[in-house]
Amino acid sequence: MANPVTIGSNCIAKIGSKFFLISEIEAKTTGVEIDPIFAVRTTTEQARRLIRAGVMRCKIQNTVPRPTRGKEVELKGVLFANGQIFSVFDVENSTDVAVLVRINVAQAQRLISKGARIIKVIRRPFK
């Protein structure tokens, strides 16, 4: 039987001068589907080593990704990190990636008022 808890999209984001591990935890079994995204602050050295080990860099862009045939796009929430704000999307096609889209305060407030979650950020790096 497969483990019902896995890691989904994950990547390293450099936001300003700080690095964050963006990771989706997926818990799926009959009648259950839980898949939040978290951000964990890393040191520069941790980010460098994770990237060298194969963790992708996050895609940061100014436009919302669009679903197409074979590509699903799901808004996961709003991320406040290092003085910047992003809407975070889980994009699934042949891969599972997180895409961060730069937004302003008004856009963030609008998304949150419509039910978007605020993505939890663990702000102190693990050593």
Side-chain angles (χ1 to χ4, degrees), residues 1 3-4 10-11 26 65 68 76 87 92 98 106 110-111 117:
M1 182 178 242
N3 187 344
N10 61 85
C11 57
E26 296 181 338
T68 58
K76 300 302 288 188
S87 53
E92 294 188 30
R110 198 166 27 259
L111 287 170
R117 295 180 185 272

Side-chain angles (χ1 to χ4, degrees), residues 22-93:
I22 309 297
S23 189
E24 177 185 32
I25 307 298
E26 296 181 338
K28 295 182 183 177
T29 190
T30 305
V32 176
E33 185 169 337
I34 303 168
D35 56 355
I37 285 187
F38 297 93
V40 179
R41 172 91 162 73
T42 68
T43 66
T44 301
E45 180 64 17
Q46 288 168 335
R48 185 178 64 77
R49 288 176 183 259
L50 287 167
I51 290 168
R52 199 175 328 145
V55 177
M56 295 174 26
R57 289 183 178 265
C58 295
K59 187 171 187 178
I60 299 176
Q61 59 191 47
N62 296 320
T63 58
V64 173
R66 300 284 179 218
T68 58
R69 188 171 183 212
K71 179 172 85 171
E72 295 179 33
V73 175
E74 178 185 4
L75 174 65
K76 300 302 288 188
V78 177
L79 172 65
F80 296 87
N82 201 27
Q84 297 184 44
I85 309 169
F86 303 89
S87 53
V88 179
F89 293 86
D90 182 32
V91 178
E92 294 188 30
N93 47 24

